[in-house]
Amino acid sequence: MSVETQASATAPRRGELDALRVFVVLGLVFFHSALVFSPDDDFYVKNAQTTEAVTVLAGFGVVWAMPMLFLVAGLGSRYSIRRRGPARFTRERLLRLGVPLVFATVVLCPLPQWLRLRSADPAYDESYGRFWLRFLTVRPDPADFPFVLDGEHFETGHLWFVVLLLTFSLLLAPVAAPLAATSERLGQVVERRPALLLVPLVPLAAINAFLGMEEGFAGWNRWAYLVFFVFGYVLADDVRVRGALRRVAVPVAVAGLVLFAGAAPGFMSLDDPFTDGSPQGLLTRAVFGAAGWCWVVAILGLLDRPRAGRARKDQPGEGRPPSRAMVYLGIAALPVYVLHQPVVVALAYGVVGRPAPIVIKYAAIVAGSLAVIVVLYECLVRRTRLTRLLFGMRPDPPVTPPS
């Protein structure tokens, strides 16, 4: 094993990416609250008045946020497999992702669907218990892998991220060792030719163009996320790749903005840009996929640049230990993700009928949702071993370092 590989194997977690993961998860509260006022999205609860501004602003988040979450998850899988090995990693993923997936699908996901029916039809008076039984009436649907269950009202809802992450993790475990072995050679190649960092935009553009984009998965094709996940596992922690990312960050950011603007006409003019088979539809989706990769590459490089207070310039990922607040939020990230959408939908259901401007309603939904999530997390989720297990947390809270 080379010196660089050994250094990589013992490197501390990248605090800026853990912080970015927290930022994205908390941002989903703001994002899904905004969809209540979007004229283009089929969200569970809709306000009578909508605004096109939501569509435009949402696009700036969709192009990079969930892809970055999968990339950070791939990097986290690299850390986990180093510590545990593939077999223990598989068991840990089944416990930490599989248990909350089953629990939240059965307990939390029916609520938004029930509120969708109540919001759409004031005369709808079916009790929640009766609807819950209909929600759980499912049939096998292997063609929609990995979403292998289907039903008239059944859905995994926002837990699609957990379904895909668990699937990718289980697919990764058997090939973890050979994939990790390629990182040494790939790191050397990328160090010499940083432009090769743009190669993944080709499969991303092709997947989105020919397989179609999926509105239910934050606008990306489900298998496009696998590209981000694998990159995070194989290369995101390589010091040479990180150096290359820093060198190309600015020009790639400019390219990403240009490509993002280039995809806008198609999204604005096509009836269904996510699936349109015309040349313009194919090109629009391909350009969007390329733009997303450029945004992610640029963000990785810009966040990793040396800042004042770091010990050594050649170790841009090292610095002060994470603050108490960041450790707290990092531990809470998965429970917050699991809780956020049912809470947002329930708050929105109670707010949209009130006579108030959009901005007031939006602020009320966001503030109320954040407050409810904090209370549920503090007073329920993290207090017992059982609830910690059900929401994907370790049975016992880790020791929090001093701030």
Side-chain angles (χ1 to χ4, degrees):
M1 181 180 291
S2 71
V3 173
E4 291 204 23
T5 303
Q6 289 175 334
S8 179
T10 58
R13 289 184 66 95
R14 294 186 58 182
E16 76 277 10
L17 294 188
D18 284 335
L20 187 61
R21 176 173 64 97
V22 170
F23 174 79
V24 171
V25 170
L26 291 177
L28 290 172
V29 175
F30 294 82
F31 177 79
H32 285 131
S33 298
L35 295 184
V36 175
F37 309 97
S38 171
D40 302 315
D41 190 88
D42 182 29
F43 198 61
Y44 299 92
V45 175
K46 303 292 290 188
N47 193 56
Q49 292 179 307
T50 58
T51 172
E52 294 285 351
V54 171
T55 303
V56 176
L57 293 174
F60 285 98
V62 164
V63 72
W64 70 271
M66 295 308 294
M68 184 64 79
L69 212 55
F70 278 100
L71 187 146
V72 175
L75 178 58
S77 297
R78 182 68 175 262
Y79 296 143
S80 182
I81 288 176
R82 282 174 183 163
R83 293 195 307 271
R84 298 181 175 91
R88 290 181 58 204
F89 168 78
T90 299
R91 291 194 295 271
E92 189 265 351
R93 292 294 87 184
L94 286 170
L95 185 67
R96 297 282 299 281
L97 296 176
V99 170
L101 173 62
V102 173
F103 168 75
T105 299
V106 173
V107 175
L108 300 179
C109 287
L111 179 62
Q113 285 286 66
W114 183 61
L115 293 177
R116 182 199 295 274
L117 296 176
R118 291 181 64 87
S119 178
D121 181 7
Y124 176 79
D125 61 355
E126 183 178 30
S127 70
Y128 183 71
R130 186 178 295 274
F131 171 79
W132 182 75
L133 293 176
R134 290 204 295 135
F135 177 90
L136 295 180
T137 303
V138 298
R139 59 184 180 275
D141 185 19
D144 196 31
F145 181 84
F147 302 90
V148 293
L149 296 177
D150 192 19
E152 181 182 2
H153 298 289
F154 178 83
E155 66 166 12
T156 54
H158 66 298
L159 300 177
W160 64 264
F161 169 74
V162 183
V163 175
L164 290 182
L165 182 55
L166 178 58
T167 301
F168 296 165
S169 298
L170 297 180
L171 292 174
L172 169 67
V175 297
L179 275 180
T182 65
S183 63
E184 175 73 14
R185 183 167 56 86
L186 288 175
Q188 294 173 352
V189 173
V190 170
E191 183 180 33
R192 293 194 303 268
R193 298 181 179 179
L196 292 176
L197 286 168
L198 297 180
V199 168
L201 68 76
V202 176
L204 286 170
I207 291 170
N208 271 3
F210 296 108
L211 298 184
M213 295 167 61
E214 300 179 271
E215 185 176 358
F217 306 139
W220 286 81
N221 185 278
R222 68 190 72 180
W223 298 111
Y225 291 122
L226 182 58
V227 176
F228 294 99
F229 180 81
V230 171
F231 180 87
Y233 177 79
V234 175
L235 291 176
D237 196 36
D238 189 290
V239 293
R240 296 155 302 185
V241 173
R242 291 170 62 179
L245 287 165
R246 294 193 296 273
R247 293 197 295 275
V248 304
V250 173
V252 169
V254 173
L257 290 171
V258 171
L259 289 168
F260 183 73
F267 283 106
M268 295 174 65
S269 62
L270 295 171
D271 290 337
D272 186 5
F274 286 1
T275 59
D276 188 285
S278 69
Q280 185 185 14
L282 294 172
L283 181 61
T284 295
R285 294 193 295 274
V287 171
F288 180 87
W293 179 253
C294 289
W295 280 54
V296 168
V297 166
I299 291 170
L300 286 173
L302 293 172
L303 285 179
D304 201 30
R305 293 194 165 191
R307 293 187 290 272
R310 283 178 170 169
R312 289 177 53 188
K313 189 175 181 179
D314 62 338
Q315 295 178 320
E318 295 187 24
R320 294 181 301 175
S323 67
R324 186 183 298 271
M326 190 53 61
V327 171
Y328 174 89
L329 291 172
I331 295 170
L334 181 58
V336 169
Y337 183 91
V338 170
L339 286 168
H340 86 275
Q341 186 155 286
V343 171
V344 167
V345 174
L347 265 292
Y349 179 78
V351 167
V352 294
R354 307 292 181 179
I358 287 178
V359 66
I360 300 299
K361 292 182 179 180
Y362 175 70
I365 295 171
V366 169
S369 297
L370 290 173
V372 171
I373 290 169
V374 169
V375 170
L376 289 175
Y377 175 72
E378 274 295 327
C379 298
L380 176 63
V381 174
R382 68 188 295 258
R383 294 301 172 181
T384 71
R385 291 178 62 89
L386 176 61
T387 51
R388 294 177 70 86
L389 172 68
L390 293 176
F391 283 87
M393 302 177 69
R394 297 183 182 89
D396 299 305
V399 177
T400 303
S403 58

